[in-house]
Amino acid sequence: MDDCLVVGGGVIGLSLAYELSGRALQVHVVDQGLVGREASWAGAGILPPARVHPDIAAWDWLRARSHELYPDWSQALLDATGIDNGYRRCGGIYLARSRGEAAALAGLAAHFHQHQIAFQRLDLPQLAECEPALAPLMAADELKAVYFAADEAQLRNPRHLRALVAACRQRGVRFSEGVQVRGVRRNSDRLVAVDTDAGPLTAANFAITGGAWTGDLLRMLKIPTGILPIRGQMVLFRCPVRPLRRIINEGARYLVARDDGLVLAGSSEEQAGFDKSTTPGVLNDLQQMARDLVPALRQAPVQQTWAGLRPGSIDGMPYIGRIGSLENAFVAAGHFRSGLHLAPATALVTSDLICRQPAEIDLSPFRPTRG
Ligand SMILES: Cc1cc2nc3c(=O)[nH]c(=O)nc-3n(C[C@H](O)[C@H](O)[C@H](O)COP(=O)(O)OP(=O)(O)OC[C@H]3O[C@@H](n4cnc5c(N)ncnc54)[C@H](O)[C@@H]3O)c2cc1C
């Protein structure tokens, strides 16, 4: 029998499978579609700066511990699979063109200062040196505030997911794609099996990592959660050469340039149920934002557009822990805009729970039964 059946092969389920198989557990991942093709594929792969420090709150710890782990995970995945996941500590620029955005950045600066995270205010000559592509914006005298986060990083999530799958396979993880979990069988305080298109699947432990669909899975266990799909749309430009060195953040929107000249412009936050269509209005807004900020993008063709469903949660915190009174069923979901970032530390603490070892932090703020 498998030691753990992981239901959902996004970045959370794959990272968990990678960590558990690294601890010599036999793991089986099932996904209703193809693994690594939902929100985790759709994301931008921005890893904002974060740092572990004493008295850190649980959510900040997840970010900070993941931030620490990513360089090592990326190197280990490269060594094992030959796949470069594109982890780059490229730095991030934060722009404000209105007084409201400037006030929000001042708040962020205070938060980073408290966490001893470098977040340097830039004047215009410093900005010109840091990111020459923004020179026209400076000339237009539109900027109210600019900051630089040296420790911001990015990864190419489609490549990271491919690397995780390859590394999991090397460690003996089995994958079943196109297999939907439709029901559960429990016996008192134990989950015995899940019912799927391919018949019942048994395991010693079960981990629910179904992203935006996790609410449906937990309802089968009579656990209500506040997980809901939040759609985000994205535009991908192709440039002959990389036009930006840094990630550019403005409010909830951003530009992320990859090494090979691809530039992502994102994103929106929409409640549209499980509808993953793009809409002309949002795509036009994103293109305009990108081309206003970086004139080099005015000539760049749009290569692709898409939308993904973030697993939002009612209080902005993920759900991580044992499910209700079940002793062998666990959940890790609801990471909203930060699932790629938070995945390594989530995998660590969820693996600790599954291995019945004490977790590095108090996980009670993430308890699945909080509604
Ligand atoms: C446009 C956009 C930009 C983003 N940018 C960033 C970013 O820059 N940085 C960052 O950290 N995060 C970002 N995110 C958020 C991040 O992508 C998500 O938080 C993360 O991918 C969630 O991972 P997951 O594994 O929980 O979900 P998913 O990747 O959605 O995976 C869940 C999987 O579960 C499977 N599943 C569901 N129900 C069942 C079932 N009943 N049976 C079998 N399988 C099932 C699904 O098929 C799916 O493959 C972004 C998201 C979007 C949409």
Side-chain angles (χ1 to χ4, degrees):
M1 193 194 308
D2 292 311
D3 294 310
C4 188
L5 182 76
V6 175
V7 180
V11 73
I12 300 296
L14 292 174
S15 302
L16 177 62
Y18 177 65
E19 178 66 24
L20 285 173
S21 56
R23 299 184 190 194
L25 269 67
Q26 182 59 49
V27 182
H28 183 186
V29 178
V30 292
D31 199 292
Q32 62 190 4
L34 298 174
V35 296
R37 292 297 303 181
E38 290 294 348
S40 305
W41 181 91
I46 302 172
L47 313 177
R51 193 166 160 181
V52 176
H53 63 86
D55 305 325
I56 193 168
W59 196 88
D60 288 324
W61 182 89
L62 271 189
R63 272 164 43 88
R65 189 76 176 97
S66 290
H67 212 71
E68 276 182 351
L69 289 168
Y70 256 118
D72 289 348
W73 273 47
S74 302
Q75 189 60 49
L77 289 171
L78 177 63
D79 293 345
T81 69
I83 300 172
D84 175 2
N85 69 0
Y87 174 85
R88 305 281 184 269
R89 190 174 169 270
C90 56
I93 288 178
Y94 287 70
L95 301 175
R97 283 188 284 179
S98 70
R99 289 191 195 290
E101 283 169 8
L105 283 188
L108 186 63
H111 173 80
F112 281 158
H113 181 72
Q114 194 189 350
H115 290 242
Q116 294 160 24
I117 294 166
F119 197 58
Q120 180 196 352
R121 184 138 191 189
L122 299 184
D123 58 24
L124 292 186
Q126 287 170 320
L127 176 60
E129 195 179 320
C130 193
E131 189 51 81
L134 297 177
L137 189 66
M138 294 174 241
D141 197 24
E142 285 187 56
L143 292 169
K144 297 282 183 286
V146 185
Y147 291 81
F148 178 57
D151 197 25
E152 186 151 299
Q154 61 164 296
L155 57 77
R156 290 183 84 143
N157 29 313
R159 294 186 184 182
H160 181 62
L161 295 162
R162 279 213 316 275
L164 281 173
V165 171
C168 281
R169 284 194 201 283
Q170 284 177 9
R171 291 177 171 186
V173 175
R174 288 188 302 126
F175 289 94
S176 298
E177 297 184 313
V179 173
Q180 186 179 35
V181 170
R182 296 173 180 279
V184 292
R185 298 185 191 186
R186 60 186 291 174
N187 182 356
S188 180
D189 281 348
R190 286 189 71 76
L191 195 57
V192 179
V194 291
D195 289 313
T196 76
D197 306 331
L201 294 174
T202 58
N205 296 286
F206 297 82
I208 308 293
T209 53
W213 295 265
T214 301
D216 292 342
L217 287 159
L218 291 190
R219 264 189 294 280
M220 295 174 196
L221 291 162
K222 311 266 184 293
I223 303 285
T225 65
I227 293 181
L228 70 166
I230 304 289
R231 185 168 71 187
Q233 300 189 39
M234 200 80 93
V235 174
L236 182 68
F237 296 92
R238 172 170 286 287
C239 298
V241 289
R242 181 178 177 156
L244 290 164
R245 296 186 212 158
R246 319 294 189 182
I247 294 166
I248 311 296
N249 300 280
E250 187 182 28
R253 294 184 168 189
Y254 46 76
L255 298 173
V256 186
R258 307 300 197 198
D259 292 344
D260 55 6
L262 293 178
V263 179
L264 289 159
S267 182
S268 56
E269 282 185 19
E270 304 159 71
Q271 284 201 36
F274 288 92
D275 178 359
K276 284 191 292 178
S277 341
T278 56
T279 58
V282 171
L283 296 181
N284 284 340
D285 282 355
L286 290 173
Q287 287 179 55
Q288 191 168 344
M289 175 274 295
R291 289 174 167 151
D292 280 354
L293 286 175
V294 181
L297 292 173
R298 288 180 195 156
Q299 284 78 46
V302 170
Q303 172 159 312
Q304 201 180 345
T305 59
W306 64 84
L309 301 176
R310 305 181 188 91
S313 79
I314 220 81
D315 57 4
M317 304 260 269
Y319 292 83
I320 302 172
R322 210 151 60 90
I323 301 174
S325 60
L326 288 167
E327 63 187 44
N328 65 336
F330 305 86
V331 61
H335 295 73
F336 191 36
R337 290 190 77 129
S338 305
L340 291 154
H341 199 190
L342 304 181
T346 299
L348 219 64
V349 294
T350 311
S351 297
D352 288 340
L353 291 173
I354 292 170
C355 296
R356 313 305 194 263
Q357 287 165 357
E360 284 183 45
I361 49 155
D362 171 18
L363 295 173
S364 59
F366 308 129
R367 68 191 174 284
T369 49
R370 72 183 190 273

